[in-house]
Amino acid sequence: MQGALTRYRIIAWIVGVVLIVLVLGMPLKYLGDNDVVVATVGPVHGFLFMVYLALTFDLGRRARWPLGRMALVMLAGTVPFLSFWAERKVSHDWIKPELAAA
């Protein structure tokens, strides 16, 4: 499960950073008539979010999370900055104590 946790932590940070870049690029698109950031980062974020969903599912399956918890962690990748909080909660409050007990 340690490998699944590491993969989840990495992708959660990447998705969080890319989502922030995407959100910060929105004013350029709508106020500055320049959609370069959104047109470039948008598809990248979409692909990375799919990877995030798959890796979150893998970790949740291995940790035997209830479906509701898994869905909430997956949704955390859609709100700027929330993926950072979710990554911290998952790794330090839910998974690490479980790994220490095993």
Side-chain angles (χ1 to χ4, degrees):
M1 186 166 23
Q2 183 65 42
L5 177 62
T6 302
R7 288 187 296 274
Y8 165 75
R9 292 183 76 186
I10 291 169
I11 196 66
W13 273 89
I14 292 171
V15 166
V17 169
V18 173
L19 179 59
I20 290 170
V21 170
L22 182 62
V23 168
L24 292 176
M26 295 303 262
L28 283 174
K29 179 179 179 176
Y30 293 108
L31 299 177
D33 237 5
N34 185 352
D35 69 342
V36 173
V37 174
V38 174
T40 306
V41 177
V44 172
H45 172 69
F47 173 76
L48 290 173
F49 185 69
M50 294 298 125
V51 174
Y52 172 81
L53 292 177
L55 294 179
T56 303
F57 177 79
D58 179 49
L59 179 63
R61 183 184 53 83
R62 290 173 192 255
R64 295 186 176 102
W65 288 345
L67 189 58
R69 177 183 286 184
M70 193 182 305
L72 285 175
V73 174
M74 287 177 173
L75 286 173
T78 63
V79 178
F81 297 104
L82 192 57
S83 68
F84 303 122
W85 177 83
E87 181 273 327
R88 180 79 176 180
K89 183 81 171 162
V90 165
S91 61
H92 289 278
D93 294 344
W94 295 341
I95 301 293
K96 287 207 176 168
E98 194 174 308
L99 288 174

